[in-house]
Amino acid sequence: MLFNKPTCKTLKNLIFPSEQTIFSFLRHPHNPPHTYTQKFNYVDVYMKWKKDSYYDSIEQIHKSIVLKPIISLKNCISQDPNGCIPISDVSKRGIQLEVPMKVARFLRLYPSIFEEFTGPQYSLPWFRLTPEADEIDREEKRVYEDCREDLRDRLKKFILMSKEKVLPLKIIQGMQWYLGLPDDFLQHPDKNLDESFRFVEMEDGLKGLAVESGEKVLSTVQRNAMKKGVYVGGPMEAIEFPLFPSKGLRLRRKIVDWLKEFQKLPYVSPYEEFSHLDPDSDISEKRVVGLLHELLSLFVEHSAERKKLLCLKKHMGLPQKVHKAFERHPSMFYLSLRNKTCTAILKEAYCDESAIEKHPLLRVRNKYINLMRESATILKTRRVNSRFADLWDSGSENEDGKEVAE
């Protein structure tokens, strides 16, 4: 644990905190929330990253990056009236579909999902879904129909966390994969949205989606605290975040003391007004941490590439260095460096199954991942058989050559 050039005054504040406790607001109930600042200052602390093999091995998280272009290509095929397409239909759309290589090569990597055959025109390769993939596709469509209200509520909460209760459509479309929304969800507002949603014109000529709701929305943290009987729903009431430290994680005493005081600060819901908070205060950081917790709890895998969350900074009032919030709270979030990217994972979702409701689409995505695993087995078997056939042919040629020589 390192301190970045701490001053004597900072060290004094860390070692000898003010006698005034963080609960001083109880004696002055009319003080605005921004006056409740924690005396342990943590902003100059560097937290060393520690690897945790448990979170690095969660397949549904780390296969999600590859699964996304697979689902996009699957949708192109399933939406075709004939249920099959020539490679020319998608070969030039690799960037749009986020395919990491040539589309034909990518499709051939997953023979348990995509079946290749020679089409009727110009002997081009055509692709259709295998019977197994087609069955999962039908199940996926049923989930979208049966859980439309759940998906709508997740989108509504996502928008309500923004400052103005409105987000640009391009931001929402960029987060649809994480929220579990189908690609055409916003194209059918009459079916998928209710009267609380409305399309608006935003600055810079952007089109946005706004939510008007007078009802109070409780975060996952608030609902769980109520179940445990440690929260009654009062304003500026303290709620402690659930912590799940990784095995072998060691924190210096001063950091532990800071975290204890941080936990006792008032909890500011991500759905509440926050403009009155001092952005440099610890209570503001607690609001940011709570927002990130709620955001990941809405997502299918309760995780997301950290860089994909940066587009939310302006609209959700997040600080410029919001990525440091993940680093400063390693008992709440884990940063995985697999797949040549940084993925933020909400630990609570994988350590306490009863705390966060599972996304209805998760089971379907896991079935696609099983097909991905089967594809790897099929390709491996093909390679082995191909090598065996080559050796057999080589041996036959040698025998034929010997016979000719004799």
Side-chain angles (χ1 to χ4, degrees), residues 94-362:
I95 296 178
Q96 175 191 347
L97 301 174
E98 300 186 36
V99 179
M101 58 186 73
K102 286 188 175 181
V103 176
R105 181 187 169 197
F106 185 78
L107 288 166
R108 289 171 181 141
L109 286 177
Y110 303 99
S112 63
I113 301 175
F114 305 107
E115 181 182 340
E116 182 178 357
F117 64 100
T118 302
Q121 298 177 358
Y122 312 112
S123 298
L124 285 174
W126 283 55
F127 291 89
R128 60 188 167 216
L129 299 182
T130 62
E132 296 82 4
D134 189 55
E135 174 58 34
I136 300 175
D137 176 65
R138 289 196 295 270
E139 181 182 351
E140 182 181 4
K141 289 181 172 65
R142 288 194 298 269
V143 170
Y144 287 140
E145 288 294 326
D146 298 341
C147 302
R148 183 180 287 115
E149 186 176 349
D150 180 284
L151 299 177
R152 183 192 301 134
D153 287 343
R154 290 175 188 269
L155 175 59
K156 184 178 297 186
K157 289 179 179 179
F158 180 61
I159 296 175
L160 286 175
M161 280 191 278
S162 63
K163 289 190 293 185
E164 306 296 334
K165 314 306 178 190
V166 58
L167 285 174
L169 291 181
K170 66 176 185 179
I171 296 287
I172 297 174
Q173 290 164 350
M175 305 301 288
Q176 281 186 152
W177 172 257
Y178 294 123
L179 289 167
L181 305 180
D183 293 339
D184 60 351
F185 190 81
L186 296 178
Q187 297 173 17
H188 305 284
D190 295 339
K191 180 173 66 172
N192 295 323
L193 305 179
D194 59 27
E195 62 278 0
S196 64
F197 293 89
R198 58 186 178 90
F199 291 96
V200 297
E201 293 289 337
M202 301 182 67
E203 58 184 14
D204 301 328
L206 296 175
K207 292 187 179 296
L209 184 62
V211 172
E212 294 179 349
S213 176
E215 60 180 302
K216 182 178 180 180
V217 180
L218 294 178
S219 67
T220 300
V221 171
Q222 288 172 315
R223 290 198 305 271
N224 290 338
M226 281 184 168
K227 291 178 183 178
K228 296 176 182 177
V230 296
Y231 175 70
V232 296
M236 301 306 292
E237 192 173 349
I239 303 179
E240 295 189 5
F241 291 119
L243 302 180
F244 303 90
S246 295
K247 186 178 180 180
L249 180 65
R250 297 289 183 268
L251 302 178
R252 293 182 66 175
R253 179 59 183 272
K254 293 169 185 176
I255 308 304
V256 172
D257 291 342
W258 182 88
L259 288 172
K260 287 181 179 178
E261 294 298 312
F262 180 84
Q263 288 281 57
K264 297 175 184 176
L265 286 171
Y267 174 83
V268 180
S269 169
Y271 304 109
E272 294 177 7
E273 172 61 37
F274 61 90
S275 59
H276 53 273
L277 296 178
D278 179 356
D280 295 325
S281 65
D282 286 320
I283 193 173
S284 182
E285 170 152 335
K286 189 162 185 177
R287 179 247 164 200
V288 170
V289 172
L291 186 145
L292 295 174
H293 181 286
E294 182 70 3
L295 193 64
L296 294 179
S297 71
L298 295 177
F299 292 169
V300 179
E301 290 91 12
H302 307 302
S303 64
E305 284 188 83
R306 190 173 64 172
K307 64 183 180 182
K308 295 291 181 68
L309 301 178
L310 299 182
C311 64
L312 303 175
K313 289 191 296 186
K314 173 183 175 182
H315 302 284
M316 294 193 172
L318 300 175
Q320 188 65 26
K321 296 183 178 180
V322 62
H323 60 278
K324 290 187 175 295
F326 292 115
E327 299 169 6
R328 287 198 289 260
H329 299 274
S331 295
M332 290 182 62
F333 309 106
Y334 178 71
L335 295 177
S336 175
L337 303 181
R338 282 191 58 182
N339 299 317
K340 299 180 181 179
T341 187
C342 182
T343 303
I345 303 171
L346 180 62
K347 284 187 168 185
E348 185 178 14
Y350 295 93
C351 295
D352 185 357
E353 293 185 358
S354 63
I356 299 177
E357 182 181 359
K358 287 187 178 181
H359 197 289
L361 199 63
L362 181 62

Side-chain angles (χ1 to χ4, degrees), residues 31-83:
N31 286 354
H34 66 265
T35 62
Y36 311 141
T37 55
Q38 190 179 353
K39 299 306 178 183
F40 285 91
N41 194 338
Y42 191 51
V43 292
D44 290 331
V45 173
Y46 168 74
M47 179 71 70
K48 186 178 179 180
W49 177 81
K50 180 168 181 61
K51 181 179 176 65
D52 192 320
S53 58
Y54 170 69
Y55 299 101
D56 282 331
S57 62
I58 300 176
E59 197 172 35
Q60 65 194 39
I61 292 177
H62 303 293
K63 293 288 188 183
S64 177
I65 294 176
V66 183
L67 181 59
K68 184 179 180 183
I70 289 177
I71 298 297
S72 297
L73 288 166
K74 183 269 301 180
N75 290 338
C76 292
I77 296 174
S78 65
Q79 290 168 5
D80 187 271
N82 299 317

Side-chain angles (χ1 to χ4, degrees), residues 373-388:
R373 197 184 301 113
E374 290 179 17
S375 293
T377 303
I378 292 172
L379 293 178
K380 183 178 179 180
T381 302
R382 287 179 182 176
R383 287 194 296 268
V384 171
N385 292 340
S386 178
R387 279 199 295 268
F388 181 77

